[in-house]
Amino acid sequence: MSKEVFYSKLKNVENDVVEMGEVCIESIKKSVDAFLNKDMDLAEQVVKEDDIIDLKEMEIEEKCVKLIALYQPVATDLRTILTIIKIISKLEKIGDCSSKIASIPLKSKLNIKRENEIINVMVERLDKMLNDAMLSFKNRDEKLARDVYSQDKKIDKLYEQLYREMISYIIEDPRDITMATETIFMAKYLERTGDIIASIGDRVVYMVTGERIKEEEFEKKYNVKKIKYIKIDK
Amino acid sequence: MESKNLNLYYDDFHALIDVSIPIYEKKITALIGPSGCGKSSYIRCLNRMNDLVPNAKVEGVVTLDGKNIYDKDVDVVDLRKRVGMVFQKPNPFPMSVYDNVAFGPRIHGIKDKKTLDEIVEDSLKKAALWDEVKDDLDKSGFDLSGGQQQRLCIARTIAVKPDVILMDEPTSALDPLSTQKIEDLMIELKKDFTVVVVTHNMQQASRVSDYTAFFLMGKVIEFDKTEKIFLAPSKKETEDYVSGRFG
């Protein structure tokens, strides 16, 4: 009976996480819209919504702490709760990235609308990545979680492409320096968002299997079978 | 210590089926599983307590320092000196605290008072009971609290200097504070002894043991490091049991 109560509470918390993920997806899209269209109202809305994301993180974390304290979960149940605590912290950081992107038009003296295909593609890919990450979490889908992790490389490439494009604008016409640097800043937050979503994929793999993708990468890098400790040379 | 293809029958009932697990030296091995899964039967095979059960038949091998304890030339009294046991309910003898602890050494021929005094003090200290009883060693073992009685039984087991201590649900009859003292004691004991503990308390297994064996219907489903069993077990049955989904 108490186990049924535990699973029902855990299910509610999982739904909260998916809901928080959806808010974050919207928040990224809105912040980029606000940036591209110099939409000050939308930008202010995104900054305000960051508080909602922060509060949601605290609320879910508190629920997780209660589940651990009251039910002492082990094995998959424990890994699930630990994963949730990690994921919400990452979603909160995505909220911060959106808020920082929205702050750029709010602070900028430039009054221009921008069009950039690379940014559109980056947002589309991040949208899919975060949706997939949430889906892999909800369905405990290891394969999809690994796919999410690998999608980050495409975002990194798009960022590099955009960076080169902006540098070429600066070289061609110094009057574009502000526009180009603002765009690079904005894209850097998108690139950072990609890293964060990828690490959600890593955490979902841990939740499902108990293994870490990052650990596997370290094992390859240092050519060892089971890496446990890395000594840091001081 | 190690068991290989150990089978135990009570008449037609096959109580243990091909149990092969190592018991690592100076480590704590926890045996977990639902009631009737064979964990208590198994621990009793490790010092041949099942010899006392009529119609019990053991097949397979249990080695202690490479020697099969079921070989015909093994002296069972000597075996039980090397592999001591602490039971679920504290069972002090109806005699003084001192005599309880000195009982084993006396049986094994130690008569010198000074030597016995030293053994009693050392054993009670190792069992974390000395400070509570040192001024009244003549009082009856029955006058101690439940938790103290259990530690007295541990001291009695230690007194004959065993290699392995078997504990069959040693805290199930104790309150949480006494339980904690016994658990602290188990961790201290593994500095000198190999400990095998049967427990129904999952948290106890995860808190104190280094290795855990999960028993189900007479078989060992999984044996591994305790952290692996409680964080990412390999078998679904283990996962279901440690998570409280059954049992």
Side-chain angles (χ1 to χ4, degrees):
Chain A
M1 185 59 196
S2 69
K3 217 58 205 174
E4 284 169 24
V5 176
F6 169 76
Y7 285 119
S8 148
K9 286 184 178 175
L10 183 59
K11 189 79 210 160
N12 283 340
V13 176
E14 286 176 24
N15 291 339
D16 284 349
V17 175
V18 174
E19 213 173 88
M20 187 177 170
E22 284 162 4
V23 174
C24 289
I25 293 168
E26 282 311 303
S27 150
I28 297 169
K29 288 199 234 169
K30 280 194 259 184
S31 68
V32 176
D33 261 359
F35 174 81
L36 293 175
N37 300 313
K38 184 78 180 175
D39 185 335
M40 307 297 262
D41 292 341
L42 191 59
E44 274 173 10
Q45 191 191 330
V46 171
V47 174
K48 275 184 195 160
E49 278 175 2
D50 184 36
D51 286 347
I52 296 171
I53 294 172
D54 289 359
L55 287 168
K56 195 74 193 162
E57 186 211 4
M58 286 193 269
E59 183 196 325
I60 297 174
E61 188 180 326
E62 202 179 311
K63 286 182 184 175
C64 289
V65 169
K66 279 185 188 163
L67 283 176
I68 293 172
L70 299 179
Y71 298 93
Q72 292 105 41
V74 295
T76 304
D77 299 339
L78 177 61
R79 296 203 307 271
T80 302
I81 295 177
L82 294 178
T83 301
I84 290 172
I85 292 172
K86 281 285 184 182
I87 288 180
I88 56 173
S89 149
K90 290 172 195 301
L91 290 176
E92 187 273 328
K93 286 195 174 72
I94 293 176
D96 289 347
C97 286
S98 302
S99 170
K100 295 227 169 84
I101 290 172
S103 301
I104 298 172
L106 290 175
K107 289 176 188 166
S108 172
K109 287 174 185 151
L110 289 180
N111 195 9
I112 49 163
K113 288 194 176 183
R114 314 169 201 231
E115 274 182 25
N116 189 302
E117 192 47 32
I118 298 175
I119 291 174
N120 291 337
V121 176
M122 277 179 102
V123 174
E124 260 174 44
R125 293 248 160 100
L126 289 173
D127 180 11
K128 182 179 182 308
M129 246 180 114
L130 192 45
N131 265 311
D132 285 353
M134 289 296 109
L135 208 61
S136 70
F137 166 74
K138 201 172 155 185
N139 299 333
R140 282 148 170 75
D141 186 338
E142 183 199 345
K143 193 168 169 280
L144 187 58
R146 284 184 182 274
D147 184 52
V148 168
Y149 189 82
S150 65
Q151 285 177 39
D152 182 42
K153 286 185 190 115
K154 291 175 189 164
I155 304 286
D156 290 350
K157 282 201 175 133
L158 287 167
Y159 169 73
E160 283 162 23
Q161 206 180 325
L162 183 90
Y163 181 83
R164 281 198 300 273
E165 186 186 316
M166 290 302 129
I167 295 295
S168 68
Y169 280 128
I170 291 171
I171 293 166
E172 276 171 28
D173 188 347
R175 282 173 298 178
D176 283 337
I177 287 176
T178 308
M179 181 279 294
T181 46
E182 283 179 358
T183 306
I184 289 171
F185 274 132
M186 195 282 298
K188 186 68 197 165
Y189 288 124
L190 291 184
E191 187 271 334
R192 176 83 192 108
T193 302
D195 293 345
I196 296 169
I197 303 172
S199 66
I200 293 178
D202 176 39
R203 289 288 165 180
V204 173
V205 170
Y206 172 76
M207 177 178 82
V208 180
T209 66
E211 304 290 329
R212 298 279 312 271
I213 303 175
K214 278 190 179 171
E215 207 170 279
E216 290 166 11
E217 286 182 344
F218 276 125
E219 282 160 17
K220 264 187 204 162
K221 187 174 170 187
Y222 293 99
N223 196 24
V224 289
K225 271 190 179 166
K226 193 78 195 159
I227 197 152
K228 280 292 167 200
Y229 305 103
I230 298 172
K231 282 182 186 162
I232 297 167
D233 294 327
K234 286 180 185 168
Chain B
M1 199 168 204
E2 187 172 17
S3 69
K4 283 181 193 159
N5 302 108
L6 187 71
N7 285 274
L8 173 71
Y9 303 85
Y10 296 121
D11 287 323
D12 294 336
F13 177 60
H14 200 168
L16 290 174
I17 305 161
D18 285 329
V19 176
S20 300
I21 53 171
I23 306 290
Y24 293 110
E25 200 180 337
K26 294 188 179 169
K27 300 279 179 205
I28 300 176
T29 302
L31 312 180
I32 60 167
S35 299
C37 67
K39 55 194 187 302
S40 286
S41 293
Y42 177 73
I43 205 174
R44 283 173 159 73
C45 287
L46 299 181
N47 70 345
R48 290 182 56 175
M49 291 291 280
N50 283 320
D51 285 11
L52 308 171
V53 180
N55 305 322
K57 191 177 83 180
V58 176
E59 285 172 1
V61 176
V62 177
T63 55
L64 179 63
D65 291 340
K67 166 86 177 157
N68 183 8
I69 64 167
Y70 283 92
D71 280 352
K72 281 184 182 161
D73 60 345
V74 169
D75 176 354
V76 179
V77 175
D78 186 51
L79 169 71
R80 292 193 190 132
K81 175 178 173 286
R82 292 186 66 193
V83 185
M85 192 153 196
V86 177
F87 295 88
Q88 186 175 355
K89 281 190 183 162
N91 56 349
F93 299 144
M95 49 181 77
S96 70
V97 169
Y98 184 97
D99 288 339
N100 258 282
V101 183
F103 189 85
R106 277 180 181 140
I107 280 188
H108 291 286
I110 297 173
K111 293 200 173 75
D112 177 51
K113 176 80 170 72
K114 194 165 166 275
T115 311
L116 282 172
D117 286 352
E118 280 170 11
I119 291 173
V120 169
E121 181 176 340
D122 184 51
S123 304
L124 287 168
K125 276 181 177 165
K126 279 188 177 151
L129 188 60
W130 175 250
D131 288 340
E132 292 162 57
V133 299
K134 64 182 174 189
D135 298 325
D136 204 0
L137 293 172
D138 289 335
K139 87 169 162 187
S140 166
F142 288 125
D143 290 341
L144 301 176
S145 72
Q148 287 174 325
Q149 284 186 17
Q150 193 62 304
R151 278 180 281 146
L152 177 63
C153 294
I154 292 171
R156 195 176 63 197
T157 308
I158 295 170
V160 294
K161 298 191 167 40
D163 298 317
V164 183
I165 301 175
L166 309 176
M167 296 184 167
D168 192 355
E169 296 185 50
T171 60
S172 62
L174 303 180
D175 64 87
L177 269 179
S178 304
T179 297
Q180 198 189 330
K181 280 192 177 168
I182 300 282
E183 286 181 5
D184 293 345
L185 175 58
M186 284 160 79
I187 291 163
E188 276 300 306
L189 287 176
K190 76 169 176 177
K191 289 178 188 161
D192 299 310
F193 308 98
T194 301
V195 179
V196 184
V197 59
V198 168
T199 179
H200 267 131
N201 182 332
M202 291 300 106
Q203 274 77 43
Q204 182 170 76
S206 60
R207 277 192 300 260
V208 303
S209 71
D210 303 292
Y211 292 88
T212 297
F214 169 56
F215 281 72
L216 187 64
M217 294 167 80
K219 287 181 185 166
V220 171
I221 302 296
E222 192 166 351
F223 172 86
D224 214 317
K225 285 189 173 169
T226 296
E227 59 193 44
K228 173 87 167 59
I229 296 283
F230 285 91
L231 201 55
S234 307
K235 301 279 168 60
K236 189 182 178 301
E237 293 97 320
T238 317
E239 165 92 39
D240 287 348
Y241 183 71
V242 296
S243 308
R245 291 191 196 111
F246 78 85

